[in-house]
Amino acid sequence: MNGPIDFRDIFDRIPSPYMLLDRDYRYVAANAAYLNTLQRRWEDIEGQYIFDAFPSEGESRASLEASLAQARDKGEVTELPLIHYAIERPAHLGGGFEDRIWSATHTPIPDETGATRYILQHTQDVTAIQRLKEAAFGSRSATMLGDDVLRRAETVQSQSRQLRNLFMQAPSFMAVLRGPDHVFDLANNAYAQLIGHREVTGLPLAAALPEVAEQGFVDLLDRVMASREAFVGRRVKVALQRETGAPLEERYLDFVYQPIIESDGTALGVFVEGVDMTDQVQADERQRLLLDELNHRVKNTLAAVQAIAQQTLRGAQDPAAFAEAFESRLLALSQTHNALTESRWAGAGLRQILGQELDPYGAERVVMEGEDVHLPARVALSLGMVFHELATNAAKYGALSTAGRLLLTWSVTGDASLVFEWRETGGPPVAQPTRRGFGSRLMERSIAGELRGHIAFDYAETGLVVRFDTPLARDLD
C-alpha cells in the first residue's frame, strides 16, 4: 500500500534550481539544484534576506528587486530573460565575486486572502551559453539568446505547473477556471471534498456545479475577469450538493477569486482559493444563541426568585420561618438548574426532576407510571418548582407526613402535551383549605401563567389529588 507523498523530497529532487522567499524576501526553502548552482549550504542562507546573502548594487539589484516586488505586490508571474548578477564565491573556492548571467521566473504563491505569501523563483545559470553565443555570433548573440529564452520560458511554465501541484495538497480548497465559460482546469483535493468529489475537470462551471451557477457565482466570476480585480468573500453562504441525490447543504466559505492576467493585460481565467468556515460559523451562532438563552434564563430566574421572596414573605409568621421556606425553594430551583446544566440546557427528564424532590422520602413510597418524558428547559424549571411545592406540602400535611404513599401517573397526548396526576393515599384526612397559600399560587402561576396549561386541585378526604396538563413546546417564552 502506498504511503503519503513526501512533497519536500520531490521538491528537492527537481533537477532545476528552485527557491522560495517570504514577503520580506527572506529564504524559506531551496532545493538541492539551487544550492549546488550557487555553491551554498542551506544553513548559510536559511532565513537570510536575499540581498544580504547575495549583495549587489546598481542595475542588477534594481531589476531583480523590481521583478520580486511585482510578483509580491501585484500577484503577477514575472520573468527576467537575462540579468547580470555577480555572486560571491565561497572561501574554499578562493573567495571574491564572479560575474554570471541568469534567467529567472518569479511566481507568487497566495495565502487564503489572495495576498502573496511566498515568491517561488526558478532560475537558470545561462552564463556559459551567453558567452558561447557572443563568441560565435558577436552582437547577434543577444537576439538569438532571446529566442532561446522564449523556448526555455515554455519549459519553465511546464515545470512551474508541476511544482504548483505540490501546493494542490494544501488544506485550503483551490481551483483554476479558464476562459469565458470558466472551465475547470485544475481542482485540488480539498475542493473535490467540498463539492462531493464530483468530476469537474474540463467542464464549464455552469455544467459542473449547476446549483452554484444558479446562486450568482458565474456572474461574479464574469465581473472578476472583466475588471481584472480580485474578489474576496468572507463567510459567503453557498448551497452545495455534496452527495448524489442529496438535498442542498449550506456551507459558509472564505474565498478569493484572483484573475489570471496575461502579459498583454487580458484575463485568461480565475484562480479560486478559500477555506470552508462552516464549522466556525455554526460555532459562533451556537455561542450567540447560548448567550441569548443565558441572558433570558438569568432574567427569568431573577424574576422567579423575586416572586418566591415576595410570596414567602407574605405567608411567613416570623423571620426564621421565612428563611427556612425561602432557602428550601431556592434549593429546589438550584437542583433543577443543576440538572439542566448537565445537559447544557437541552432539557431534563421528567423522572429526573421528580427524583430530585422525592428520593429523600424513600423510593418505596412513590409509585411512578409513565414513560420518561424529555422536558424542555423552560418546562423543567417550572415543573421543578411545582413538584417541590407538592412534595413539601405532602411532607408537612399529606401522605409523606405519615406512612402514606404517592401515586404519580402521566402520559403525552398526540399534540405533545403532558397530562399529569399527583395522588396522595394513606395520609391524614384532607379538608378544603380556608385560604390559598403561596404554594398553590406558585403552582397556578407556573402551570397556567408560564406554561399556558391548566391545573386543578381535588381536596378529597382520602388524599389530595392534583391534575394538570401543559404543552411541551419549546417556544413558550
Side-chain angles (χ1 to χ4, degrees), residues 297-336:
R297 294 304 174 195
V298 168
K299 290 180 179 178
N300 282 352
T301 301
L302 291 176
V305 171
Q306 183 181 27
I308 291 171
Q310 291 173 346
Q311 296 293 343
T312 305
L313 185 60
R314 291 175 187 173
Q317 299 177 352
D318 55 65
F322 166 78
E324 180 182 357
F326 184 61
E327 181 180 356
S328 174
R329 285 160 179 156
L330 285 186
L331 180 59
L333 188 64
S334 173
Q335 288 176 333
T336 306

Side-chain angles (χ1 to χ4, degrees), residues 396-452:
K396 288 184 177 180
Y397 314 111
L400 298 181
S401 67
T402 60
R405 302 173 68 197
L406 299 179
L407 302 178
L408 311 180
T409 59
W410 64 85
S411 62
V412 177
T413 65
D415 61 352
S417 290
L418 174 67
V419 178
F420 191 95
E421 182 181 272
W422 172 289
R423 181 180 295 273
E424 299 184 20
T425 62
V430 177
Q432 182 79 24
T434 58
R435 65 181 183 85
R436 293 173 66 248
F438 168 70
S440 60
R441 289 196 300 271
L442 183 146
M443 287 187 283
E444 287 178 352
R445 182 173 66 85
S446 297
I447 298 297
E450 295 182 5
L451 301 183
R452 304 174 190 171

Side-chain angles (χ1 to χ4, degrees), residues 87-98:
I87 63 169
E88 185 178 8
R89 290 191 296 268
H92 69 276
L93 295 178
F97 283 82
E98 178 182 356

Side-chain angles (χ1 to χ4, degrees), residues 3 9 46 59 87-88 150 156 167 182 188 210-211 213 223 310 339 341 354 441 448:
D9 183 63
E46 181 181 8
E59 183 178 351
I87 63 169
E88 185 178 8
L150 291 177
V156 168
F167 294 94
H182 315 299
N188 75 340
E211 74 275 21
R223 290 198 296 271
Q310 291 173 346
T341 300
L354 286 168
R441 289 196 300 271

